[in-house]
Amino acid sequence: MSVLVLFTAVCCAAPVSNAISVFVALSAGAQGDDGGAGTGGAADIPSRMLAAYKKAVRQVDTYVPACRGMRWPILAGVAKVESNHAIGRSIAANGDIRPRIYGVILNGSGAGGNTTVFADTDGGKWDGTATGERAVGPFQFMPSTWEGVGKDASGDEKADPHNADDAALGAAVYLCGHGRDLSVRAQLKAAILQYNHSGEYVANVVGWIDQYTEAAKGTSLKGVSGKVRVVIEAALAQRGVPYSWGGGTASGKSYGTCCTDSGKSGVNIQGFDCSGLALYAYAQVGIRLPRTAAAQAGVGRRLPASLGKGFLKPGDLVFYAYAPGIDSTIYHVGIYVGGGQMVNAARPGTRVRLDAVDAMPGYAGGARLL
């Protein structure tokens, strides 16, 4: 098989099913104090919970001064997996969460995967039952663990695991241990492993941490509005999501397909390839794109490479070909955001990220759909 076909296959696979709808919109703002991860957030995190995570980052040094590298995306990653950020609950201005969040009673019944009996330790003070033990709050602390790490972050002189501020600070203290450096990947994973001794759990939390970290890196969209902004924000919000060959639908990231001619598979990865990301982003404004990059070049106003990269505007699709000028050889597509940058699902083994337009070889112009 030809080299052209081999490389084209890396980004341009047939559509797949099993879509996972995860639309996380970027919310960029002015520079501020949010634990070193930029000022952005993510729309799947209620603003009151996000405020609690950022507050905990500011306060944790008081209790664990030797801790290094604590950032709000770390707390967000844990809370996402433990309680989905308390979504569906009411979060008061003071941080109290109602109704309270309880896990299953850990009585060995097998419900919720529990097979070990945990005797009651709090008389039902935190978990609402004296018949056994169950995890509580948005970070799902065991009452016995909470007694050791619980802190009052809300100023009411009570450390309450059902309060967003208190729970987030308690989680920060617990993850920091006696002074971990959470900027070191191995120590971050060790901290999460103590939270739940499961490799699958660690991988899940770290994946969310990475996605929130990328989403928090703001980019200037000054002057960009309307449908173009919706498209760009939809794409930017996927930063940190893994590349998956054949991955991506109009609904969001999905498991990909197998396999490129070089053996790269997306079957076990939820994510996007380059054309899947473009398809998803434009679906948010009702534009249905073909599945492959080469076919996407036929939609909208074609911008030939001869016009130069300076002709690109935010929201334009950016194409790359092995024989620029011959659209059938297009092998890659990005979404231009301005300033010489594009949102890019580059290749297997990478994650969706911002790249320079010059990062890929064979610039073949663009397409303007809006």
Side-chain angles (χ1 to χ4, degrees), residues 128 193 228 240 254 316 335 341:
L193 191 63
V228 171
S254 70
D316 289 348
I335 301 173
Q341 293 186 306

Side-chain angles (χ1 to χ4, degrees), residues 331-369:
Y331 72 93
H332 192 79
V333 61
I335 301 173
Y336 190 66
V337 300
Q341 293 186 306
M342 63 179 174
V343 190
N344 193 24
R347 63 184 63 85
T350 66
R351 294 176 180 269
V352 178
R353 64 197 187 195
L354 271 177
D355 271 335
V357 171
D358 292 332
M360 309 294 292
Y363 177 67
R368 186 163 297 158
L369 282 65

Side-chain angles (χ1 to χ4, degrees), residues 2-287:
S2 73
V3 173
L4 288 178
V5 173
L6 184 156
F7 281 97
T8 301
V10 171
C11 189
C12 307
V16 295
S17 58
N18 199 25
I20 307 296
S21 179
V22 182
F23 179 58
V24 184
L26 185 68
S27 175
Q31 184 64 33
D33 179 6
D34 66 357
T39 57
D44 74 329
I45 305 177
S47 60
R48 185 60 184 84
M49 291 301 294
L50 183 59
Y53 305 154
K54 293 181 177 182
K55 183 178 183 180
V57 172
R58 297 193 298 269
Q59 293 179 322
V60 70
D61 286 350
T62 300
Y63 301 95
V64 192
C67 184
R68 299 289 181 271
M70 175 55 72
R71 301 171 291 116
W72 74 256
I74 295 174
L75 298 175
V78 173
K80 172 68 178 181
V81 175
E82 292 293 345
S83 70
N84 195 25
H85 307 299
I87 289 174
R89 261 66 174 185
S90 173
I91 308 172
N94 71 349
D96 286 343
I97 298 171
R98 298 293 184 272
R100 293 179 169 184
I101 302 172
Y102 296 118
V104 298
I105 298 177
L106 301 175
N107 56 9
S109 67
N114 87 90
T115 56
T116 303
V117 177
F118 286 80
D120 176 67
T121 65
D122 69 335
K125 177 182 179 181
W126 299 124
D127 65 4
T129 178
T131 64
E133 199 87 327
R134 57 182 175 178
V136 297
F139 284 87
Q140 289 292 277
F141 278 105
M142 295 289 283
S144 57
T145 302
W146 181 252
E147 289 303 317
V149 302
K151 305 298 178 187
D152 171 28
S154 57
D156 62 0
E157 300 183 353
K158 179 179 69 174
D160 183 351
H162 298 286
N163 177 276
D165 294 328
D166 295 357
L169 180 56
V173 169
Y174 187 59
L175 291 166
C176 281
H178 296 292
R180 290 190 178 92
D181 185 347
L182 300 176
S183 66
V184 177
R185 196 76 162 181
Q187 292 192 42
L188 174 62
K189 289 183 176 180
I192 298 168
L193 191 63
Q194 75 163 3
Y195 214 99
N196 186 321
H197 202 76
S198 161
E200 182 179 358
Y201 176 88
V202 171
N204 193 9
V205 171
V206 168
W208 282 108
I209 292 171
D210 288 345
Q211 185 162 341
Y212 290 136
T213 298
E214 288 299 315
K217 295 177 181 177
T219 187
S220 175
L221 294 180
K222 184 177 180 179
V224 179
S225 61
K227 290 184 177 181
V228 171
R229 190 180 184 98
V230 172
V231 168
I232 293 175
E233 288 189 342
L236 283 171
Q238 306 312 311
R239 287 180 296 176
V241 174
Y243 182 100
S244 174
W245 188 76
T249 72
S251 298
K253 64 184 179 182
S254 70
Y255 288 105
T257 57
C258 185
C259 290
T260 70
D261 291 342
S262 57
K264 302 294 184 181
S265 173
V267 169
N268 297 315
I269 303 172
Q270 285 184 341
F272 295 95
D273 65 12
C274 65
S275 53
L277 179 63
L279 186 156
Y280 165 72
Y282 267 92
Q284 307 316 304
V285 295
I287 294 177

